[in-house]
Structure formats: structure tokens, C-alpha cells
Amino acid sequence: ESIAEAAVATGAEAVGLSLVFAEKRMRAGSELRELRRLLAPHVRMLVGGGAASALRSDLEPAGMQVFTTLDELREALLGAQS
């Protein structure tokens, strides 16, 4: 909830999270889906890090963008500026 509150308070256009280790995969997916639900629809949610690819099939259908490399993230951010 505090991440969503900070996004609202700052007028964020995107929220980025890095998942380094997701031992409890179901819990991580559930918490990220809840965060997505709390964010305004126009706020992009970007998820990367070592554990992100394992959750891709859970996160992308919920409206999150999943990145496995910094190059992918860079491309998406540069594309958003165009």
C-alpha cells in the first residue's frame, strides 16, 4: 500500500520494482497483483530482476511489463518517451 500511496502522492507515471529472489512465488505474484490493482490504470508497472521471469506468466496478464535485461527496460522507457 505504501508504494501505491507514494505513486499517487508524487503523480508517478510508472512504478518499477526489482525482484531479486522470490522464494514464495505465489505470495510475490499476489502482492504484485494487489499493487497493480491499487495503482491508477495509466500508471505503468515495470517489473524486473532475477526472479521476474519466473513470474512473467502471472504478471503480464495482470497488466505489468516484465523485463529480464536492462536493454529491454531501456528500450521500453525510450519507446515511452517518443
Side-chain angles (χ1 to χ4, degrees), residues 17-35:
L17 299 166
S18 178
L19 299 179
V20 178
F21 183 71
E23 179 179 309
K24 297 182 180 182
R25 182 177 167 184
M26 295 299 287
R27 180 175 174 196
S30 175
E31 289 180 3
L32 290 169
R33 285 190 303 277
E34 176 64 10
L35 174 57

Side-chain angles (χ1 to χ4, degrees), residues 8-81:
V8 170
T10 62
E13 295 181 22
V15 170
L17 299 166
S18 178
L19 299 179
V20 178
F21 183 71
E23 179 179 309
K24 297 182 180 182
R25 182 177 167 184
M26 295 299 287
R27 180 175 174 196
S30 175
E31 289 180 3
L32 290 169
R33 285 190 303 277
E34 176 64 10
L35 174 57
R36 174 68 267 175
R37 187 188 69 74
L38 293 171
L39 294 171
H42 72 276
V43 176
R44 293 173 68 189
M45 192 163 160
L46 313 170
V47 182
S53 61
L55 294 170
R56 181 184 298 272
S57 63
D58 296 329
L59 304 182
E60 286 183 339
M64 293 170 246
Q65 293 177 275
V66 178
F67 302 95
T68 56
T69 68
L70 288 176
D71 287 335
E72 289 177 353
L73 175 60
R74 188 176 300 109
E75 285 179 31
L77 293 174
L78 291 173
Q81 292 177 349

